[in-house]
Amino acid sequence: MTTTADALWATSLRRWNAVCWVLFAAMAVGITALGHGADRYAALALLGSVALGFAALVRCPGRPVVRPHGYLAVLVIALTGLAYLGTSYAALFMVTLPHYWMFGRTPRISLAFLGLATAGTLVGSWVRQGWSGKFFGESVVGTLIVVSVGVLIGLWARAVVEQSSERARLIEELERTQAELAEAHLRQGAAEERERMAREIHDTLAQGFASIVVLAEAARAGLTTDPGRSARQLVSIETTARENLAEARELVGSGRPPGGAHAGSVAQTLRRIVDRFAEDTGLSVAAELADLDCDQQTRVALLRCAQESLANVRKHARASAVGVVLARRPYGVELEVTDDGTGFAVEASTGFGLDGMRKRLAELGGRLTVTSSVGDGTRILAVIPVEGAA
């Protein structure tokens, strides 16, 4: 039996204790009043042995004073003796029927002791009464009826307890599984949030700092040869630093898309990014930007892809011309960034930027296509399906 079943049996036993003591007392009074001679004292001794064993078992459950099976053995002997004496054995049998199931621990042991008690009472009655009509009419029939009812009730109670124990085990397992699942979801959510923050920082703050470094190096190199250009680059450094500061506050504070992604249309914001890029790098930039409407997530994804692509051109491409195209297609919105730079082997790329763009687009059901080879420039194509597209 499980712990739950044992607890239920213990609760049932505590409730039955008070009833048992009252019935033991009533039986003792009856034996004293109705009995006579040595039979009365023998019956009281047998009843007393059962009461003492029961008291020791109940009062000292954790001590080896009386074992549960020892108490049941005493009960079988007492019932046999009382049946032989013809004194209150039927009452004691009915009172102690639950004890076989409470102290037997398993159905097999309970039925074994109950069978011994039944056999003992019948043998005791037979020795006293012989093969008489009274023996068959009262002892055999009455005892078998009581035992049959006790067996049925005991087996039913055992089945209920086992079913309750199994239900409790399943509920406990379900609660444990739910707790583990909630913890796994919490860990997954934390990991996704860390990845999102890392992507935002890479696409905004990191790119801004990289631009500041490049502008600062160019301004320092041109201080003596082209002071005017260096002054403009210092202004760009200041502007980029202020934008980075605003983006950092947005990331830490409200969590809204940083970098002015919520200000103006996509085409207007892309135009500002492209113009700043052309001013900072001095490259020739051809931009075809369609004025289109899209949701906020799509806007942010397009702007981040444009920023990352232009940052890669600045850092790696050594290009002389760049093209940026934003257009509405039948299948969605398309952003294309091309350059005539040195190119690279796409399959060997391990940078965070391209992987971040792919994940950002994948979250919206889009895709990123990178076409490049060494010496042939690079083409970045971002496609995002939008509502209403074919």
Side-chain angles (χ1 to χ4, degrees), residues 15 20 38 42 53 80 119 131 139 143 182 202 221-222 224 256 265 277 281 301 312 334:
R15 294 175 178 176
C20 285
T80 302
W131 299 102
S139 299
T143 300
H202 175 273
T224 56
R256 292 175 296 175
S265 67
F277 174 81
T281 60
N312 288 336
E334 183 179 278

Side-chain angles (χ1 to χ4, degrees), residues 343-385:
F344 65 100
V346 177
E347 63 277 3
S349 175
T350 58
F352 182 83
L354 292 178
D355 185 60
M357 283 194 287
R358 289 191 180 94
K359 290 182 179 179
R360 188 186 291 275
L361 294 174
E363 291 175 356
L364 302 177
R367 66 182 185 277
L368 181 74
T369 303
V370 182
T371 306
S372 182
S373 60
V374 178
D376 290 334
T378 301
R379 175 176 179 262
I380 303 293
L381 179 63
V383 177
I384 303 176

